[in-house]
Amino acid sequence: SSGAGASKHVFGTFLPPPPPPPATRTARKEMRLGSTSPASASSKTAIEANSNTQLRTLYPPSNATNNGTLEVDSTHTLYYEQYNDPVNAPLNALFLHGGPGAGCFPNHARFFSPDHYRVSLLDQRGSGQSTPKGETTNNTLATLVQDIETLRIHLGYDRWDVLLGGSWGTTLALAYAQTYPERVKGMVLRGVCLFRQAEIDWLFARNGGADILNLEGWKEFEKAVGIDADEMTSQVNGSGKGPNRDALNRYYDCLLGRDSALRVSATASWTKWEMSIFSLNRKEKQNKSGNSDSPLLVWDRMCGWSFQDEFGPTDAGETDELATKKAQSLRRFSSDNAPEECFGFGDLTSSTPRTIIDDNAKQHVDARLRKLPPNVTVEQAKTFVPAQAMLTCYYSTNVEYVMGQHRNLLSAKGIERLRNIPCIAVQGGEDAICPPDSALDLVQSWPEVELRIPLGAGHSMYHAEICSELVKATDRFAGIGNS
């Protein structure tokens, strides 16, 4: 599929300005029911079998039809895959994975209709099958942005018809779109992350916020790198002190230092902490009918905040005021009138990465934690590269350096460059990895975004309601059915 081929496609439902709302919510339902878009015969059949009154599921699995590598500098070689027929799929989509460092998987292509999208999956620097794995040299947001542009040129596309980014991938999608707005026709964002200091502190700092959600888990997280758990009870959440990043700095030394045994043990405790927060308050149970059992809170510029069902704003008696209050009640670490406070770069003066201190890690970490588990050999430990833990820690510790010119993605200048790009954001109301604060701040700065919040959903893109919203969003950009 080429850029020229993509340009022939007509985006009949590319988030057009909606008509003025009817006077009653019942009339709005009738309007929505009568405003479907044409679809191809194969897509229409799929939609009839999995209609909008039920949760949408992923498209069927398929094999990659193309793959390749790109040598982007003297250090990094990127790996990419492509899915679906380039002749019959007229639209170009790019999936941007999270982490940083998580890598792509074949299932990521299944959020897109194979009849409409030629899907590219790119493993970012140091991630997935890109090499060297876990490499931090020349690994910043600016270089990742340029890598996307390099891939676009390499593939011969005039632009990306849709970028789908999740978690850290939303940071990358926004940064790319602000740098090359003319190369992006639409975006779908999931689990909005702006990679601000408050977001990093939320997950990885004492007094950041998530620590109090799982106090015992946080104690274990700190203890694994030699921080006295007895200090926590009096200091965490209530001492009046700001976020303490000692644990994050020590994990930096352990994960990125030369001691392979330390890296193995630090990865285990790092992953355990992240997964404990990822799993908090998860309502993953899908009822047998496949219907959504969680309220959907929606922001769009025409109607403001509203509770919605499959037909649009509900008739259940909820007012716009209640919906607005509900939206703001989802905040965990910020206020609705000062999103700039979340950036907090004032005390981060270094424009270079933090130095790794191997001796510091060995000094503080219990000797028992430097021993390899019985099932891990010395040779296995030497070749063990936990890319996601390493790169997430590297980016989180060096936030000012890695974000660079993109450190404030909500700046007036940056948002102005996005104004003409249609965007649908999907945010779990109970997401504890990337709490709703960032999604709410995004629509406050960029009100043209349509934000859809399944209130009972968490962070996972495979949560039934999150998955459904993502598939419906990519379908809408392709003009498919009644999504």
Side-chain angles (χ1 to χ4, degrees):
S1 176
S2 68
S7 65
K8 297 177 182 177
H9 187 80
V10 178
F11 278 68
T13 58
F14 207 107
L15 293 188
T24 66
R25 295 183 186 272
T26 300
R28 290 190 193 183
K29 283 188 179 183
E30 293 172 353
M31 179 185 72
R32 288 286 296 271
L33 283 171
S35 61
T36 59
S37 306
S40 68
S42 59
S43 295
K44 191 170 183 179
T45 300
I47 290 170
E48 287 172 350
N50 188 10
S51 71
N52 208 35
T53 60
Q54 291 186 315
L55 293 174
R56 296 297 304 281
T57 57
L58 295 175
Y59 282 95
S62 62
N63 296 320
T65 55
N66 181 40
N67 64 9
T69 58
L70 282 175
E71 186 175 328
V72 290
D73 63 18
S74 59
T75 301
H76 293 276
T77 299
L78 306 183
Y79 176 81
Y80 68 89
E81 290 183 346
Q82 292 188 286
Y83 289 77
N84 306 332
D85 186 346
V87 175
N88 296 324
L91 305 179
N92 303 315
L94 176 65
F95 184 95
L96 298 174
H97 66 71
C104 285
F105 298 91
N107 266 351
H108 294 159
R110 297 176 62 195
F111 289 96
F112 302 88
S113 164
D115 293 337
H116 295 77
Y117 288 101
R118 175 73 158 157
V119 183
S120 300
L121 309 181
L122 175 66
D123 286 336
Q124 297 158 28
R125 295 188 180 211
S127 309
Q129 297 183 65
S130 292
T131 58
K133 189 174 183 180
E135 181 59 59
T136 59
T137 302
N138 297 332
N139 197 332
T140 65
L141 182 55
T143 61
L144 301 189
V145 164
Q146 192 55 47
D147 291 343
I148 296 174
E149 183 65 359
T150 300
L151 178 64
R152 182 194 65 78
I153 294 169
H154 173 74
L155 296 175
Y157 297 158
D158 290 335
R159 60 186 172 186
W160 300 105
D161 292 309
V162 173
L163 296 181
L164 171 53
S167 196
W168 160 256
T170 68
T171 306
L172 181 51
L174 289 166
Y176 177 79
Q178 289 184 0
T179 306
Y180 297 101
E182 72 282 3
R183 301 302 181 186
V184 181
K185 191 166 185 181
M187 290 194 292
V188 178
L189 308 178
R190 187 272 309 168
V192 175
C193 169
L194 304 173
F195 220 71
R196 299 173 293 179
Q197 188 62 55
E199 298 172 51
I200 297 164
D201 287 343
W202 162 264
L203 195 56
F204 295 122
R206 181 186 292 192
N207 291 324
D211 52 347
I212 203 65
L213 300 180
N214 181 9
L215 188 56
E216 291 305 313
W218 179 260
K219 288 179 180 179
E220 291 183 19
F221 181 68
E222 288 199 324
K223 184 177 180 181
V225 288
I227 295 176
D228 186 359
D230 292 338
E231 299 175 8
M232 276 205 66
T233 304
S234 61
Q235 290 189 26
V236 74
N237 206 38
S239 64
K241 296 183 178 180
N244 182 312
R245 300 167 191 137
D246 287 352
L248 181 61
N249 290 334
R250 290 194 188 178
Y251 272 97
Y252 185 82
D253 296 330
C254 292
L255 289 168
L256 298 164
R258 294 187 297 266
D259 191 314
S260 56
L262 268 181
R263 186 178 305 115
V264 170
S265 63
T267 299
S269 54
W270 176 279
T271 304
K272 183 179 180 181
W273 166 248
E274 276 201 302
M275 290 307 299
S276 75
I277 299 303
F278 177 86
S279 302
L280 281 176
N281 301 321
R282 289 173 68 187
K283 294 184 179 179
E284 299 281 344
K285 296 181 180 179
Q286 180 181 343
N287 57 40
K288 294 182 179 179
S289 69
N291 294 318
S292 171
D293 59 358
S294 172
L296 182 66
L297 184 62
V298 177
W299 164 267
D300 68 68
R301 194 165 195 179
M302 179 186 75
C303 298
W305 287 106
S306 64
F307 294 99
Q308 293 193 9
D309 57 21
E310 67 270 22
F311 303 113
T314 65
D315 281 331
E318 296 94 341
T319 67
D320 293 340
E321 183 180 357
L322 285 176
T324 301
K325 288 181 177 179
K326 180 61 179 177
Q328 297 308 324
S329 75
L330 298 175
R331 291 184 177 273
R332 292 178 181 258
F333 58 76
S334 64
S335 63
D336 62 347
N337 58 358
E340 67 279 358
E341 293 179 356
C342 296
F343 289 96
F345 292 116
D347 62 337
L348 300 176
T349 57
S350 175
S351 59
T352 58
R354 179 181 177 274
T355 302
I356 300 165
I357 308 174
D358 284 298
D359 292 340
N360 182 61
K362 291 179 181 180
Q363 174 185 350
H364 290 289
V365 177
D366 191 304
R368 292 172 297 175
L369 297 175
R370 298 203 299 271
K371 294 181 179 179
L372 290 173
N375 60 337
V376 179
T377 68
V378 172
E379 288 305 312
Q380 288 174 327
K382 287 180 179 179
T383 59
F384 177 59
V385 183
Q388 183 167 353
M390 291 172 66
L391 291 175
T392 300
C393 185
Y394 176 79
Y395 268 68
S396 299
T397 304
N398 299 297
V399 60
E400 183 184 31
Y401 170 73
V402 296
M403 292 296 287
Q405 68 192 68
H406 302 291
R407 67 186 63 179
N408 183 356
L409 291 169
L410 298 182
S411 70
K413 182 179 179 180
I415 293 297
E416 191 58 35
R417 294 175 68 81
L418 302 174
R419 293 290 183 196
N420 296 322
I421 302 176
C423 179
I424 300 173
V426 180
Q427 174 70 46
E430 295 191 359
D431 189 338
I433 294 289
C434 296
D437 305 59
S438 296
L440 297 172
D441 290 341
L442 181 65
V443 299
Q444 183 173 314
S445 298
W446 184 18
E448 292 86 353
V449 173
E450 179 179 317
L451 174 58
R452 304 178 69 81
I453 306 177
L455 291 173
H459 188 66
S460 173
M461 73 184 85
Y462 300 113
H463 182 288
E465 291 165 273
I466 297 290
C467 177
S468 178
E469 290 294 333
L470 292 175
V471 172
K472 287 192 285 187
T474 61
D475 279 0
R476 283 176 62 186
F477 280 127
I480 299 174
N482 60 349
S483 297

